[in-house]
Amino acid sequence: MLKRLLAPVLTLLLLVGVSTAIYLSVKEQASLQAPALQELKGIIGSEKEDFFRDPETVAALAKAPWHLHVSIEKSGSRELSTTQNLKNQYDFAFPAGIAAAEKLKREQNGKKAVQLFFSPMVIASWRPIADLLVANHIAQKRGDTYYIVDMLALFGLISHEQRWRDLPGNTAYPVNKAILVTTTDLRTSNSAAMYLALASYLLNGNAIVENTAQIDKILPQLSALFSRQGFTENSTEIPFQDYLTMGMGKSPLVMVYESQFFSEANKSPSAITPEMVLLYPEPTLFSKHILIPLTANGETLAAALEQDETLQQIAQRYGFRTAHSAANSRTAALPSLVNVIDEPSYDILEAMINRITAR
Amino acid sequence: MNLLRTAFLTGCFGLLLLVAACGKPTEPKTATNTLTLLAGSELKDLEPMWANLQEQTGIHLQITYTGTLDGAEILSDPKQHYDLAWFSHAKYLTLMQEKQKLIQAQEKIAISPVIPAIKESLAKKWGWLDHPQVTWTQLAEKIRSGQLTYAMTDPAASNSGFSTVMSVQAALANKGDALTAQDVDAEKLKSFFSGHVLTAGSSGFLSSLFLRNQAQVGGIFNYEAELLKLNRNPLLQEKLVLLYPQEGTVIADYPLLLLAKDQAANYQKLVDYLKSAAFQQWLMDTTDRRPVNPAVALGTQFPKGYLLDMPFPNTIATVNEILFAYLNEQRQPSHTYFVLDVSGSMAGSGIAALQQAMANLAGADTTLTGKFARFRNREQVTLITFNHQVQDIRHFTVDKEGHALQDIDAYVNGLTTTGGTAIFSALDVAYKQATQARAADPKRFYSIVLMTDGLNEDGMSYTDFVRLYQQHANSAAAINTFPIIFGNADPSQLQALAALTGGQVFDSRTNSLAAAFKQIRGYQ
């Protein structure tokens, strides 16, 4: 009964509302004489999708002086760097990873490469598992929310083909699964390549791999990190989605971008629970998100993302670190990382990937 | 000004939703967009929501149902035209796509592990009630010692069987990481599969087959969702205890796949709808699949604690090798009876279609699914041809070298057509042969395919056949007949026959006789 009475009243209110909005909207259009938006299309690494789809991002890009309307398609970053003829289809490409960006810029005759956001590689895990690693001297707890993990010690467990149930004092996760870090497919996805870069540095005796002799030496160990996982997904969002929805039975340790985790944490409601924690590898490396403009509009977009404070703030909400991060209170919680290494050169990284995936 | 307008618009949007909720069903908000979807047949149970989907989003789904591996094969054809695909998992397709990028985007919509369930009395006897430490190895031991038999679908036809085979292979090889072909322990697997007594081409049909034969079988491997549903079935005489083996299982995650790039916007709308709390709640309450939206609290039908998943092989070659080894070496072999109409009306295109269908099963169909459907090594094939009476009965035993396949092909090519139609006399002969053969060699799957293009004109009547069948129902139990509707055959009589014997009708008129024969292979 109440519903029947309510419906007409609400409809009336709605009509008033819509009319007012239309009136205001028309008035605003008329007063601003806003120029038509420039439509542009880009192909991006999947980890930036939510940022571009955010209505606030859309609004900030539409404003003066940018006047842009961006539509996006997503792809694995490495997959993206090997796609042909991007120029005919897109105004910009926005992969993750220096290597992918370098290659893309070279092969597509990109005008420049603009580094906009960055994000450290982290291992998304679970409190019981992190505490178990602490008990086994693989990790150290820092504050309430995050841990530092000794990657060399972790690789030691992995290369001895230890299973979770083999860890002494393990009552939290006594399962048969081999201890492995879940990654994506090396052939298609940048986050897997980042894991490879990190592992190669450590296994090469804390030095960036520079030649094939060094690759030869560590190749079996490197390969095992990936082949033993079995099936891997093509793009970083999928294992992270699995982490959020399927719990620690599926993914005890998942290599992700820090931004993925904080992007989700900043959502409301958020799928992040108190049980979910981050392990920061020591050393770690930054995944750099680099925009390659392919047209003039693409260049305008690069400028917008580089200069517009609102856009920078939105990016931070999505968990990215930016050049202006320090000034922003939201990111105060992010640990400052001192021990950060560089990726190997494009050619070395490619050589490693090719040899691992050919095995 | 901008803020004010945003506030107004936001308010209005809220009101709009309220009005829609308060009033009568409203007109669709947007024009209808039709998207083509190739879906796994187990997703038919979502159909009640599609009207609501269209109302909420303007998206109309035009759905074609098929099996997971059939679907992967259809989608790997560059000429396919589907906008979307939706199966219980995308691993096989992802491995299969290699360089050609078929999947443009994917979002997982629901979760259901493929797990074992055993009768409560067995669980009690073995101390497995509320026992989270049960392992696949313990199950294997119960099977080896003859204490446990089970129902499972054909892994080449249905994903629940496929997932079970993958789990068992990894667990019995005692692998904590990805399985490779070298890890496979064939003897242990043969022993495990020796307990397999009921097979089917789909997970839903497996449940009904289990109900029909529940006195003779101790357990079943199926989706958790399907098992929870089975446990509520009033026909089930003894509750099933769901087991979550310690080594883990393969988990179905139902990713919705975008194939057509230009449908990205509609895809996003569809995903938003499917992941909305309202849909996810309905999905859990109605189909017993677990939600992926954390806003929906997990129902009490699911045990607490995490689901352990099993690593999946990382190459299509390994997966196929596992499947072929299962089909040709490890599974219980089958004895398949084909009751084939060679009456006068089959002359011309009828007999040609039959010859093609049989040739395909003898190896002429070289597609991947064709190879999975082929007569398997160790299989016995009996061909019974009939017109107004049984014309001929031929036995073949399929050998590794393929001699029997050539013999079958040659024999079928030599068939000639004449005379009337004595369907039930021929079927009766098939049952007599099959029950005798099973008494002598019980470690096989027995089934009958009946192909006729006409009505019963000669010999035994349907009524007499039913009476005889019922008299011998015990000895004929679980020897199911799969009638194929072809030409002028009587669909209602064939339906009744399938229901009587626990089989299923396949309609060759919707596709081809060869397609029907191929599909039935999943049930043999």
Side-chain angles (χ1 to χ4, degrees):
Chain A
M1 194 60 197
L2 186 65
K3 277 185 183 178
R4 280 196 198 164
L5 282 174
L6 254 172
V9 175
L10 290 176
T11 312
L12 187 68
L13 278 172
L14 178 69
L15 283 174
V16 173
V18 170
S19 325
T20 316
I22 292 171
Y23 169 72
L24 290 172
S25 169
V26 168
K27 197 175 154 200
E28 184 184 68
Q29 290 281 331
S31 67
L32 287 178
Q33 297 279 323
L37 294 182
Q38 294 290 317
E39 293 287 335
L40 71 167
K41 197 163 141 194
I43 183 152
I44 65 169
S46 62
E47 64 286 334
K48 292 175 290 278
E49 181 190 12
D50 288 346
F51 167 77
F52 276 103
R53 288 203 193 282
D54 190 305
E56 287 185 36
T57 306
V58 174
L61 285 170
K63 270 204 262 179
W66 316 117
H67 305 299
L68 297 174
H69 181 259
V70 178
S71 54
I72 50 153
E73 282 170 19
K74 55 185 172 172
S75 170
S77 289
R78 287 186 34 73
E79 201 171 12
L80 197 160
S81 71
T82 54
T83 309
Q84 303 301 311
N85 282 328
L86 288 177
K87 226 172 193 168
N88 299 343
Q89 304 171 57
Y90 304 103
D91 297 286
F92 70 96
F94 198 2
I98 293 175
E102 232 180 70
K103 174 165 187 192
L104 208 151
K105 181 177 170 244
R106 193 168 66 213
E107 294 193 356
Q108 310 287 338
N109 292 320
K111 301 190 171 171
K112 53 183 170 184
V114 189
Q115 188 194 309
L116 292 167
F117 311 145
F118 62 103
S119 193
M121 300 309 299
V122 293
I123 297 174
S125 184
W126 305 84
R127 199 171 292 279
I129 286 169
D131 289 339
L132 182 63
L133 293 177
V134 171
N136 281 275
H137 313 292
I138 309 288
Q140 294 167 36
K141 196 168 179 186
R142 294 280 164 88
D144 266 356
T145 49
Y146 72 96
Y147 297 72
I148 298 291
V149 57
D150 177 347
M151 289 307 282
L152 206 52
L154 184 61
F155 286 142
L157 293 181
I158 294 175
S159 59
H160 287 100
E161 305 206 355
Q162 295 281 291
R163 306 191 188 197
W164 285 101
R165 56 152 199 240
D166 298 334
L167 289 179
N170 178 3
T171 50
Y173 195 63
V175 307
N176 204 40
K177 261 179 188 290
I179 299 176
L180 286 168
V181 179
T182 304
T183 68
T184 41
D185 189 333
L186 253 186
R187 288 167 298 188
T188 55
S189 168
N190 175 64
S191 61
M194 292 288 99
Y195 180 56
L196 173 63
L198 185 58
S200 66
Y201 174 88
L202 290 166
L203 298 175
N204 190 39
N206 287 326
I208 296 171
V209 173
E210 285 172 336
N211 56 51
T212 40
Q214 290 169 333
I215 300 179
D216 289 342
K217 224 168 134 191
I218 59 174
L219 193 69
Q221 256 183 299
L222 284 179
S223 292
L225 294 176
F226 295 93
S227 64
R228 289 181 59 218
Q229 292 182 57
F231 178 82
T232 48
E233 302 280 5
N234 283 344
S235 189
T236 319
E237 65 181 330
I238 307 172
F240 186 63
Q241 211 181 79
D242 286 348
Y243 170 77
L244 295 177
T245 55
M246 292 171 79
M248 74 177 182
K250 164 96 182 166
S251 318
L253 301 171
V254 198
M255 184 57 59
V256 299
Y257 302 110
E258 182 198 52
S259 57
Q260 289 177 290
F261 190 91
F262 284 105
S263 172
E264 183 61 39
N266 288 335
K267 277 184 195 163
S268 154
S270 166
I272 302 286
T273 67
E275 286 285 276
M276 297 177 181
V277 296
L278 288 186
L279 306 179
Y280 283 81
E282 192 164 274
T284 189
L285 76 180
F286 286 137
S287 141
K288 292 172 180 165
H289 298 270
I290 297 169
L291 191 146
I292 290 115
L294 301 169
T295 64
N297 279 341
E299 287 196 55
T300 313
L301 177 68
L305 295 175
E306 206 172 17
Q307 294 159 24
D308 192 299
E309 258 180 54
T310 312
L311 287 168
Q312 294 257 324
Q313 277 167 19
I314 301 168
Q316 285 158 20
R317 180 150 47 76
Y318 282 98
F320 295 110
R321 300 183 184 213
T322 69
H324 309 291
S325 280
N328 189 285
S329 62
R330 273 186 196 280
T331 49
L334 301 182
S336 57
L337 303 165
V338 207
N339 197 352
V340 179
I341 60 160
D342 283 330
E343 292 175 40
S345 74
Y346 174 80
D347 292 334
I348 290 289
L349 194 59
E350 281 301 296
M352 288 195 289
I353 292 169
N354 288 336
R355 295 194 46 196
I356 291 169
T357 54
R359 276 165 82 96
Chain B
M1 194 58 109
N2 238 343
L3 243 178
L4 192 63
R5 191 179 61 139
T6 312
F8 259 113
L9 281 173
T10 313
C12 292
F13 188 63
L15 281 174
L16 190 68
L17 288 179
L18 259 172
V19 173
C22 298
K24 295 260 155 69
T26 48
E27 291 292 300
K29 279 182 218 155
T30 41
T32 302
N33 290 309
T34 297
L35 271 70
T36 52
L37 166 66
L38 186 67
S41 44
E42 67 269 34
L43 290 167
K44 268 185 194 151
D45 61 359
L46 304 180
E47 277 180 352
M49 288 303 273
W50 298 152
N52 182 264
L53 168 76
Q54 189 163 348
E55 199 178 297
Q56 299 282 321
T57 64
I59 291 171
H60 170 71
L61 295 175
Q62 191 184 314
I63 308 177
T64 308
Y65 294 103
T66 182
T68 313
L69 300 192
D70 287 325
E73 188 160 271
I74 292 170
L75 295 176
S76 63
D77 178 350
K79 291 192 295 277
Q80 69 81 22
H81 55 274
Y82 290 98
D83 297 319
L84 307 163
W86 197 5
F87 291 92
S88 50
H89 70 92
K91 295 187 179 88
Y92 196 85
L93 185 63
T94 304
L95 290 176
M96 202 166 171
Q97 68 177 350
E98 290 181 0
K99 293 251 154 57
Q100 44 165 336
K101 193 186 174 198
L102 300 170
I103 303 170
Q104 309 299 331
Q106 60 170 302
E107 293 273 356
K108 298 180 180 182
I109 305 298
I111 289 166
S112 197
V114 176
I115 54 171
I118 58 170
K119 285 178 171 171
E120 199 169 33
S121 58
L122 292 176
K124 254 186 205 149
K125 193 164 121 193
W126 301 335
W128 289 6
L129 282 177
D130 302 315
H131 184 38
Q133 304 301 317
V134 173
T135 62
W136 284 105
T137 310
Q138 285 174 298
L139 274 168
E141 179 49 33
K142 296 296 181 197
I143 294 164
R144 193 198 58 77
S145 58
Q147 298 178 75
L148 179 64
T149 56
Y150 60 85
M152 177 181 88
T153 60
D154 183 319
S158 150
N159 180 57
S160 65
F162 178 79
S163 300
T164 304
V165 167
M166 291 298 157
S167 297
V168 169
Q169 304 256 358
L172 297 190
N174 190 21
K175 289 288 280 187
D177 52 11
L179 191 73
T180 59
Q182 297 92 291
D183 298 322
V184 170
D185 185 333
E187 284 315 304
K188 276 190 193 165
L189 289 168
K190 264 193 192 169
S191 160
F192 192 96
F193 296 129
S194 72
H196 186 196
V197 294
L198 290 177
T199 186
S202 82
S203 307
F205 189 78
L206 188 73
S207 289
S208 48
L209 209 56
F210 181 86
L211 282 173
R212 199 183 153 93
N213 299 284
Q214 52 187 305
Q216 282 82 40
V217 56
I220 175 170
F221 298 111
N222 215 329
Y223 295 105
E224 178 188 56
E226 192 67 40
L227 294 169
L228 289 169
K229 199 164 75 186
L230 189 56
N231 250 348
R232 285 197 303 268
N233 193 309
L235 296 175
L236 187 75
Q237 281 154 8
E238 188 181 335
K239 278 263 169 297
L240 293 168
V241 173
L242 278 57
L243 302 173
Y244 297 82
Q246 209 197 359
E247 301 96 325
T249 63
V250 173
I251 300 173
D253 49 15
Y254 302 93
L256 179 70
L257 310 179
L258 173 67
L259 307 173
K261 260 189 191 174
D262 56 353
Q263 291 292 355
N266 281 323
Y267 171 77
Q268 195 58 46
K269 269 194 231 168
L270 180 57
V271 166
D272 289 345
Y273 174 85
L274 296 174
K275 289 177 86 171
S276 69
F279 180 85
Q280 293 268 308
Q281 185 75 47
W282 178 88
L283 181 79
M284 181 174 74
D285 294 347
T286 316
T287 74
D288 289 304
R289 296 186 185 94
R290 299 176 181 226
V292 295
N293 182 338
V296 177
L298 204 58
T300 50
Q301 68 266 50
F302 305 104
K304 292 201 168 57
Y306 48 81
L307 284 177
L308 265 178
D309 101 310
M310 207 60 132
F312 194 85
N314 57 1
T315 68
I316 198 82
T318 306
V319 177
N320 289 343
E321 206 169 326
I322 287 172
L323 285 175
F324 282 120
Y326 169 83
L327 293 171
N328 289 316
E329 292 154 34
Q330 297 157 1
R331 63 166 271 171
Q332 300 253 66
S334 37
H335 189 154
T336 317
Y337 292 79
F338 287 87
V339 181
L340 305 173
D341 188 341
V342 290
S343 63
S345 59
M346 281 289 288
S349 63
I351 194 74
L354 175 61
Q355 284 162 339
Q356 183 62 54
M358 292 302 288
N360 281 358
L361 300 190
D365 181 348
T366 56
T367 63
L368 183 65
T369 52
K371 286 179 189 159
F372 286 138
R374 204 207 70 184
F375 290 125
R376 305 152 191 136
N377 299 346
R378 305 170 299 147
E379 180 170 3
Q380 298 198 343
V381 180
T382 300
L383 306 183
I384 302 175
T385 53
F386 70 95
N387 44 27
H388 49 276
Q389 60 190 20
V390 168
Q391 280 300 311
D392 192 13
I393 300 173
R394 287 292 175 102
H395 299 289
F396 304 87
T397 302
V398 181
D399 53 314
K400 263 189 197 158
E401 291 74 29
H403 301 309
L405 297 179
Q406 287 172 11
D407 293 347
I408 292 172
D409 195 32
Y411 176 75
V412 172
N413 267 319
L415 291 176
T416 52
T417 52
T418 176
T421 311
I423 299 171
F424 297 107
S425 298
L427 190 58
D428 182 55
V429 167
Y431 266 100
K432 286 205 171 79
Q433 293 240 338
T435 48
Q436 273 174 17
R438 186 165 66 176
D441 183 6
K443 289 254 150 208
R444 280 180 182 274
F445 293 103
Y446 290 82
S447 65
I448 299 172
V449 175
L450 170 66
M451 195 284 310
T452 177
D453 75 332
L455 306 176
N456 192 46
E457 293 162 346
D458 305 284
M460 189 183 288
S461 71
Y462 179 61
T463 324
D464 285 344
F465 175 81
V466 172
R467 193 175 41 77
L468 263 175
Y469 177 87
Q470 281 165 342
Q471 274 173 18
H472 301 103
N474 278 339
S475 59
I479 302 178
N480 311 316
T481 295
F482 298 93
I484 296 174
I485 303 175
F486 184 62
N488 298 318
D490 175 0
S492 62
Q493 191 174 60
L494 295 183
Q495 290 284 4
L497 179 65
L500 175 75
T501 64
Q504 191 175 320
V505 163
F506 290 81
D507 194 341
S508 74
R509 296 169 305 181
T510 52
N511 197 333
S512 67
L513 194 61
F517 270 68
K518 186 173 172 179
Q519 219 183 340
I520 292 176
R521 292 296 289 161
Y523 296 77
Q524 297 175 326

